[in-house]
Amino acid sequence: MELIFVLACVTSVVASIYYYLKCQYNFWQKQGIPYARGIIPGLGNMTYVVLLRQSFNKLCENYYKENEKHSMFGFYQFSTPTLLVRDPELVKSVLLTNFASFQENQISISCPKEDALFTINPFFSKMDTWKENRAPLTNAFSSKKLKTMLPLIEEASSRMENYIKQKMSHEREKLELNFKTFFNLYTGEIAAAGMGIQGHNFDDDSISLKSELTFKTAIETVFSAPFFTGGFSQIILMFMPRLAKILNMTLLPKEVDLFYRQSVKNILANRKRDNRSNNDFLKMIVDHQLANGLKINEETALASHMLSFSVEVYETSAITLSFLCFQLASHPEIQERVREEIKSLLEKYDGKLNYEAYKEMTYLDQVLNESMRLNHVSGIMTKVCTREIQLVGSDGLSCKVKPGHVAVISTFGLQMDPKYWPEPEKFDPDRFGDEKKEKIHKFTFIPFGEGPRICVGMRMANIIIKIAVATIVKNYSLEVSPKTPLPLKRDEASFMTAYENGLWVFLKPLKHKSS
């Protein structure tokens, strides 16, 4: 009798679990949306991601490519229904038209107290704070303010140029560089200058004193943290916020938090004491605080904006620059066209490029756009539904997305889709020429995102990249080094797009014609 009772209890428990799991994973089936098979209870379709055999970016890219006949496709992040939107009009709906239903990014802060500096970052901000947190950055990155900061960027490019010359003096004919590492030195200089401090990124003898961080080591520490470098800790931080909270896992190392807080405090105190003001990013944030009646001595807010500026400039610009210059090295004829455009503008502006000259680099704009099409910085965009909405695809598929569900856009898939980009693997800047760019569907090319939460540093990145390219290309030719394994293979562990073994390029001095 006891055995029968035990068996009955076990059967009841198993049946309850089965019924619960069946309800958990039948959402897409009920909606009539094509969905991924191979669901594992508790993991959904994330098994290979959790086992670190595949990145989430790659998972979404594969789903995009495998479902070309559908406007949308469903899968499960653990138990969360996730909708991959493939139709450009659906992408537009998520990012712009129905933005009110998708106001939040998926990645969130699990430990707000410890990660206070990131909670004010516009990317991590929630729907009730993102506008307020974004406003100072939007103001600082306006065209007018960028003109003011231009000398700081040009000074960083001058240090980069001197660094190349110094390194080149030890070589006979050419200098070999890992472009991602090299451009992080340049963007690190700009990030430091925005705070009004010296980055010393190009100083070989720059060593941290005792146990104190320098700006260079502080920003490097941010991007060597688990959230960015991969592994199971990254999976927990990105997709298991409740577990991350229980484990007290943070995005920002404590020493970096202290560095930014103390740096801002010291800089403001020194400027007040010396009665001086710099035309840098920090000043613009302080001016914005004053103009809007906000407290300028709010340490957390100011330090957070400085961190946001550093992160935005340091990594994303370096990734974009490294791939762009690698493509120039791979396509000598395109590299020469860029060089001729720069030389022409130097002649027009008496040997000195200014803000107007950079705006006139139209062919370089085309090259940059084509490079960003092939190489999106992150590869995906993930938006959390904040208000129920019915999405209808061009193929007639209709889906009711509910609060808490996630919409995913695979930029890797979208920007390499042969339906929108003939010969998508080909590097062809002419796609973005005047005759062809009008035919491009706006939401098949979204390197900076789109809609109200479009990347706030877009203009800044454009200027940083153009100044660096002009500085190098006017004096050096670029050639791919054998150290770069071809074809390129993405590093699946990296949060942002990176390539295994790096992008190695030779710089060779140009032989200028004597007058």
Side-chain angles (χ1 to χ4, degrees), residues 88-130:
E89 287 300 320
L90 288 178
V91 174
K92 179 180 179 181
S93 179
V94 169
L95 296 181
L96 181 62
T97 313
N98 292 295
F99 171 76
S101 292
F102 297 97
Q103 293 190 51
E104 291 191 356
N105 295 323
Q106 181 182 5
I107 301 174
S108 60
I109 301 296
S110 302
C111 302
K113 185 177 180 180
E114 290 80 2
D115 275 329
L117 297 193
F118 267 143
T119 58
I120 302 178
N121 183 297
F123 179 80
F124 295 107
S125 298
K126 295 300 183 181
M127 56 186 287
D128 56 342
T129 60
W130 71 266

Side-chain angles (χ1 to χ4, degrees), residues 110-371:
S110 302
C111 302
K113 185 177 180 180
E114 290 80 2
D115 275 329
L117 297 193
F118 267 143
T119 58
I120 302 178
N121 183 297
F123 179 80
F124 295 107
S125 298
K126 295 300 183 181
M127 56 186 287
D128 56 342
T129 60
W130 71 266
K131 284 185 180 180
E132 176 187 343
N133 293 338
R134 181 184 169 92
L137 301 178
T138 302
N139 174 68
F141 288 137
S142 67
S143 295
K144 182 179 179 181
K145 297 298 173 61
L146 283 180
K147 285 184 180 181
T148 304
M149 284 197 287
L150 190 63
L152 298 178
I153 305 173
E154 291 176 329
E155 188 175 341
S157 73
S158 179
R159 292 196 190 104
M160 177 180 69
E161 189 171 20
N162 291 335
Y163 176 85
I164 295 172
K165 288 178 180 177
Q166 180 186 355
K167 292 292 183 182
M168 192 71 74
S169 66
H170 301 297
E171 307 292 336
R172 290 186 178 181
E173 295 181 352
K174 54 189 177 183
L175 175 64
E176 188 178 39
L177 295 170
N178 181 338
F179 260 2
K180 171 58 170 57
T181 303
F182 171 68
F183 283 124
N184 270 141
L185 301 179
Y186 166 66
T187 56
E189 282 293 291
I190 298 168
M195 288 179 63
I197 61 178
Q198 289 292 321
H200 299 292
N201 289 271
F202 290 113
D203 298 344
D204 288 335
D205 296 327
S206 177
I207 302 174
S208 298
L209 299 176
K210 299 179 181 179
S211 61
E212 295 180 3
L213 289 181
T214 63
F215 178 86
K216 184 175 185 294
T217 53
I219 194 67
E220 287 174 348
T221 301
V222 173
F223 288 98
S224 62
F227 178 75
F228 293 100
T229 56
F232 193 63
S233 294
Q234 183 190 72
I235 300 299
I236 295 174
L237 286 164
M238 290 178 65
F239 304 110
M240 307 177 189
R242 292 179 182 175
L243 179 58
K245 185 174 184 178
I246 293 171
L247 298 176
N248 199 36
M249 296 177 67
T250 63
L251 304 183
L252 190 67
K254 186 176 181 180
E255 63 270 26
V256 178
D257 179 285
L258 292 173
F259 173 83
Y260 274 89
R261 291 177 186 273
Q262 193 60 49
S263 294
V264 168
K265 187 183 296 184
N266 292 342
I267 294 165
L268 292 179
N270 291 339
R271 291 183 183 183
K272 184 177 182 180
R273 182 193 65 212
D274 300 336
N275 194 27
R276 62 182 175 84
S277 179
N278 293 32
N279 286 323
D280 54 25
F281 182 77
L282 178 57
K283 179 182 183 299
M284 292 173 189
I285 295 297
V286 171
D287 287 347
H288 180 271
Q289 302 285 80
L290 285 169
N292 289 275
L294 304 173
K295 296 179 180 179
I296 63 169
N297 61 344
E298 178 53 59
E299 178 187 295
T300 298
L302 290 176
S304 176
H305 290 313
M306 292 306 102
L307 177 63
S308 296
F309 177 81
S310 299
V311 170
E312 188 77 29
V313 169
Y314 180 82
E315 191 69 358
T316 58
S317 296
I319 291 171
T320 306
L321 252 175
S322 61
F323 190 75
L324 166 60
C325 288
F326 173 79
Q327 290 296 342
L328 292 179
S330 303
H331 300 86
E333 69 288 352
I334 294 174
Q335 180 185 154
E336 187 57 34
R337 282 186 65 180
V338 170
R339 184 176 292 112
E340 289 300 317
E341 180 177 66
I342 292 167
K343 286 168 62 177
S344 174
L345 288 167
L346 281 167
E347 290 176 6
K348 178 179 178 180
Y349 290 97
D350 299 322
K352 174 67 176 176
L353 297 175
N354 54 27
Y355 190 79
E356 285 67 34
Y358 292 117
K359 288 178 66 177
E360 291 177 33
M361 292 180 181
T362 53
Y363 185 66
L364 182 52
D365 273 325
Q366 293 175 218
V367 174
L368 173 58
N369 284 336
E370 178 66 348
S371 178

